[in-house]
Amino acid sequence: MEYDPERGGRCTACFDMRMERTALYANEHGFDAIATTNATSRWKDAQQVDDSGRRCAAKYPGLHYWAYDWQGDAMTLRKYQISAQEKFYKQEYCGCSHSLRDSNAWRRANGIPSIQIGGDHAGLGERYFSDPMQDALEESQDVVDEFFAHANELSAVAGEDKQERKKALSIYQNRRKDEKNDSKVIGLNNW
């Protein structure tokens, strides 16, 4: 799944794993609904996230998944107003190493600094949300569409053959911190 594009099978498996644990916890503790913030981001396919939530909730009698369209302009701005007001941490990718790799490749192609993990500064702007208008612009539909067009282009070149995918995605060489020294591709997160 390493070479699956964003919003592909890898993401479905990730959502399923997290939503299953959430549904189990909710069932064990008497909750009647579950939800997730993953569907608030335009970077995520809300239908993919919501389908995972519905599948997992359906396994437990009386539990339902609360779906809501959070991705419109007004809700996106509101999300960033709250994030700035509360000084939430700004994570610039979903959290998996493959997303970090793909996000940084897109940033390089667009002259944007790489994602910085930890520290006081983010790769793009501040470490914490502070300006709702600027933060919302970073997640504008145009920016998101541009990223996925680039990701789909790479995926189309790579095709389904694993060797071809590795060859086409060689732009990600040295993504693992020790890979440039030992040339080993271990396949686990080693950041």
Side-chain angles (χ1 to χ4, degrees), residues 3 151-169:
Y3 295 103
N152 290 336
E153 198 175 288
L154 286 176
S155 185
V157 168
E160 294 298 318
D161 181 86
K162 190 170 183 174
Q163 292 303 318
E164 285 300 312
R165 291 178 115 181
K166 286 183 177 185
K167 182 179 169 186
L169 297 174

Side-chain angles (χ1 to χ4, degrees), residues 2 16 19-21 24 26 58 68 82 101-102 105-106 113 115 117 123 128 130 136 153 159 175 178 189 191:
E2 176 181 359
D16 284 351
M19 293 303 292
E20 173 55 35
R21 185 64 187 104
L24 175 63
Y68 186 85
I82 293 169
R101 170 198 69 198
D102 296 345
W106 176 79
I115 292 168
I117 300 172
Y128 300 93
S130 59
E153 198 175 288
R175 69 188 177 279
D178 293 332
N189 283 356
W191 299 97

Side-chain angles (χ1 to χ4, degrees), residues 39-40 42 69-79 141:
T40 68
R42 288 179 174 164
D69 180 8
W70 301 99
Q71 294 185 3
D73 290 341
M75 290 305 292
T76 296
L77 180 58
R78 181 66 182 131
K79 172 178 68 173
Q141 197 62 56

Side-chain angles (χ1 to χ4, degrees), residues 50-183:
D50 291 342
D51 286 348
S52 177
R54 286 185 194 99
R55 271 193 308 280
C56 293
K59 296 177 183 179
Y60 301 95
L63 185 65
H64 74 276
Y65 174 75
W66 184 51
Y68 186 85
D69 180 8
W70 301 99
Q71 294 185 3
D73 290 341
M75 290 305 292
T76 296
L77 180 58
R78 181 66 182 131
K79 172 178 68 173
Y80 288 120
Q81 289 169 336
I82 293 169
S83 296
Q85 177 184 329
E86 300 299 324
K87 300 282 188 237
F88 288 157
Y89 171 80
K90 185 190 290 188
Q91 181 167 313
E92 299 179 277
Y93 68 108
C94 81
C96 83
S97 62
H98 313 302
S99 171
L100 178 64
R101 170 198 69 198
D102 296 345
S103 295
N104 278 332
W106 176 79
R107 284 169 175 242
R108 276 190 300 278
N110 287 281
I112 300 171
S114 293
I115 292 168
Q116 302 297 312
I117 300 172
D120 294 330
H121 300 285
L124 188 62
E126 301 296 319
R127 172 55 60 207
Y128 300 93
F129 290 102
S130 59
D131 181 344
M133 295 303 287
Q134 181 60 41
D135 294 329
L137 284 174
E138 291 172 10
E139 191 179 341
S140 73
Q141 197 62 56
D142 289 343
V143 170
V144 173
D145 291 346
E146 159 77 27
F147 173 85
F148 284 107
H150 183 254
N152 290 336
E153 198 175 288
L154 286 176
S155 185
V157 168
E160 294 298 318
D161 181 86
K162 190 170 183 174
Q163 292 303 318
E164 285 300 312
R165 291 178 115 181
K166 286 183 177 185
K167 182 179 169 186
L169 297 174
S170 65
I171 61 171
Y172 301 130
Q173 187 68 29
N174 300 327
R175 69 188 177 279
R176 194 173 60 81
K177 69 179 179 184
D178 293 332
E179 188 174 336
K180 61 183 153 189
N181 298 326
D182 64 19
S183 300

